[in-house]
Amino acid sequence: MYPENEIFREGLDQLAEHYREVLKLVGEDPDREGLQKTPMRVAKAMQVLTRGYEMDAHKVLTDALFREDYSQMVIVKDIDFFSLCEHHMLPFYGKVHVAYIPNGYITGLSKIARVVDIYSHRLQVQERLTLQIKECIQQTLKPLGVMVVVEARHMCMQMRGVEKQNSITTTSDFCGAFNQAKTRQEFMNLLHNDKNNL
């Protein structure tokens, strides 16, 4: 259910009309009772699922930028995300783990999760999502290094195609201090140790 005060983007009615045509093309009757409101429901859902196009991830970080003399690893892990694969427009979902080493500035911890939210609410591929999160943090905070790991399940693999139910895809990207294998390993060790302790 959508809040009554939710503001939807321009083009909502046209989007709903297209979904009405889609229902016809797959063999359904959009005028039958159960489907009469479906085109508008789907149009609203699609606007929510792609709301990231209208948001500025860099601004989210700069709005909560603080001077701090801290130069050890900051990790925000297990950030849940949901996105739509741009190839089939089916969901993929999982967790994002982010680490950065500050270089004079830190940001609010919730802002890292907001960056993930913004980029995941666009049509995506997992590889690009990983890169965009890393680049946003690197370009905005200018830390000594950033590393991002994304673990996801893809419905396009589970519901169609090879139909493999238990496969997980992992991607990573890093720069700066994380180019050193020792620093990357420290991050990965902290991720695995924390998971084992939960």
Side-chain angles (χ1 to χ4, degrees):
M1 179 174 286
Y2 300 96
E4 291 182 9
N5 61 349
E6 180 131 30
I7 298 173
F8 293 98
R9 305 197 299 273
E10 186 178 343
L12 183 65
D13 290 333
Q14 296 96 314
L15 193 56
E17 192 56 41
H18 284 296
Y19 280 117
R20 180 178 168 82
E21 292 304 311
V22 168
L23 288 174
K24 291 179 183 176
L25 290 170
V26 298
E28 267 292 356
D29 175 10
D31 292 318
R32 74 175 174 85
E33 184 179 4
L35 291 177
Q36 287 174 3
K37 295 183 180 180
T38 295
M40 182 55 72
R41 289 190 191 107
V42 178
K44 288 180 177 179
M46 188 57 65
Q47 284 206 352
V48 170
L49 293 171
T50 59
R51 65 179 180 246
Y53 287 115
E54 299 211 327
M55 298 179 180
D56 185 343
H58 295 272
K59 187 174 186 305
V60 165
L61 293 181
T62 57
D63 283 351
L65 199 59
F66 308 105
R67 181 85 187 167
E68 192 65 46
D69 186 22
Y70 181 82
S71 58
Q72 300 302 313
M73 197 179 300
V74 177
I75 299 174
V76 184
K77 69 181 194 68
D78 293 334
I79 303 168
D80 291 318
F81 82 93
F82 299 87
S83 192
L84 289 176
C85 166
E86 68 179 32
H87 298 146
H88 302 97
M89 292 179 69
L90 288 171
F92 69 99
Y93 61 94
K95 294 186 182 296
V96 176
H97 316 288
V98 177
Y100 75 97
I101 301 174
N103 186 22
Y105 289 93
I106 60 171
T107 190
L109 297 177
S110 68
K111 304 307 178 185
I112 300 292
R114 290 285 295 144
V115 168
V116 172
D117 186 64
I118 289 169
Y119 287 119
S120 63
H121 280 78
R122 301 176 182 185
L123 298 182
Q124 278 289 10
V125 295
Q126 184 173 334
E127 296 86 346
R128 184 193 310 127
L129 175 63
T130 309
L131 175 65
Q132 287 177 329
I133 296 167
K134 183 213 74 176
E135 287 187 339
C136 179
I137 295 168
Q138 177 63 33
Q139 292 168 6
T140 308
L141 299 183
K142 296 181 173 37
L144 298 175
V146 182
M147 184 166 178
V148 176
V149 175
V150 180
E151 300 170 308
R153 294 180 182 273
H154 291 251
M155 298 305 287
C156 58
M157 286 184 65
Q158 295 178 316
M159 294 176 65
R160 57 164 303 285
V162 294
E163 297 185 6
K164 299 303 180 189
Q165 305 305 312
N166 299 309
S167 63
I168 296 176
T169 301
T170 302
T171 50
S172 68
D173 202 352
F174 51 86
C175 62
F178 289 94
N179 284 317
Q180 300 177 30
K182 181 180 177 182
T183 309
R184 291 198 305 276
Q185 192 59 52
E186 179 185 351
F187 175 40
M188 298 306 292
N189 287 343
L190 287 168
L191 282 184
H192 294 306
N193 288 341
D194 286 346
K195 285 182 177 179
N196 292 335
N197 291 332
L198 293 178

